[in-house]
Amino acid sequence: MQVIGFMLLFGGAVQAANCRLALVLALDVSGSVDPVEYAQQVNGLADALNHRDVRAQILNGSGAHVSLAVFEWSSRNHQFVIQPWIELTSDQALDRAIGKIRRHQKVRAGLKTALGTALGFGASLLDGQAQCWVKTIDVSGDGKNNIGFTPAQLYQSGAFGQITVNALVIGGNGDTPDDIARKADLLRYYETQVIYGASSFAMIAHGYADYAGAMRRKLIRELQLPIIGASEY
């Protein structure tokens, strides 16, 4: 028999902390991302958030909401907030966030891929969300860190104690043996060097045209209601 403990089952849990997830979405705008691909990324995120299954996951929280922030990143000197923190407590709030993301125009400064710096920026955004049960950074990227401190060096600092880092890896859409090998290598890098936390995971998008579908699947997994503990006896 399996017994699962879920916070909402315990009296007073919602009153004590009614934010179940603080989610930071970090979008890659480094030099490898051309204008068409960037538009696919931004519109793909908006489409994913607007999908009926994702909307249901966000808004069916039994009284505990999701807080969302979105930023774009590239080199060490560029992290730009697209959507400041917003509590997704209604269809109207979610629609406002989707509209803001979809209307955003790229603000790029720097062509390198500073993954470690981007993750540090995401962690700083989460500093003000201590009341949320789960704190997650969802980083999208199509390349490896090539400037500044690495994700591994950042994690060694101890600043990510209660933060989960998941990754959406944007691989190429080619199907030659070399294409497949490059995609597998990039996914392996994100799985071994970027994601962080016991429940963390990485998913692959097969090119930017696949971004909306991959992000939808990823959000559905991230938005599952938190389980505090499970035991068998």
Side-chain angles (χ1 to χ4, degrees), residues 148-211:
F149 53 83
T150 67
Q153 290 170 328
L154 177 67
Y155 299 149
Q156 289 170 3
S157 71
F160 275 66
Q162 300 301 316
I163 297 174
T164 297
V165 177
N166 298 325
L168 181 54
V169 182
I170 309 166
N173 57 7
D175 57 4
T176 69
D178 284 346
D179 292 331
I180 293 170
R182 281 193 294 268
K183 193 165 10 182
D185 177 66
L186 188 60
L187 178 60
R188 185 165 51 250
Y189 172 81
Y190 275 78
E191 288 176 333
T192 60
Q193 303 296 319
V194 178
I195 65 173
Y196 182 84
S199 62
S200 63
F201 64 94
M203 293 180 67
I204 191 83
H206 300 285
Y208 281 90
D210 183 42
Y211 187 89

Side-chain angles (χ1 to χ4, degrees), residues 54-72:
V54 176
R55 292 185 78 101
Q57 287 273 60
I58 291 172
L59 298 175
N60 186 22
S62 301
H65 68 265
V66 173
S67 288
L68 176 71
V70 183
F71 74 95
E72 67 174 36

Side-chain angles (χ1 to χ4, degrees), residues 27-43 71-74 78-82 100-111 208:
L27 308 183
D28 185 356
V29 65
S30 57
S32 59
V33 183
D34 67 31
V36 172
E37 292 170 337
Y38 186 79
Q40 288 175 315
Q41 187 176 192
V42 170
N43 288 313
F71 74 95
E72 67 174 36
W73 62 274
S74 59
H78 182 64
Q79 303 87 37
F80 182 86
V81 175
I82 297 170
K100 192 173 185 64
I101 293 165
R102 201 180 294 279
R103 291 190 300 271
H104 177 69
Q105 299 295 311
K106 179 173 57 181
V107 181
R108 186 167 69 192
L111 303 179
Y208 281 90

Side-chain angles (χ1 to χ4, degrees), residues 81-117:
V81 175
I82 297 170
Q83 171 62 66
W85 284 113
I86 182 170
E87 296 181 355
L88 301 179
T89 55
S90 65
D91 280 300
Q92 292 76 16
L94 182 52
D95 287 340
R96 287 196 298 274
I98 291 168
K100 192 173 185 64
I101 293 165
R102 201 180 294 279
R103 291 190 300 271
H104 177 69
Q105 299 295 311
K106 179 173 57 181
V107 181
R108 186 167 69 192
L111 303 179
K112 295 286 188 178
T113 301
L115 259 170
T117 306

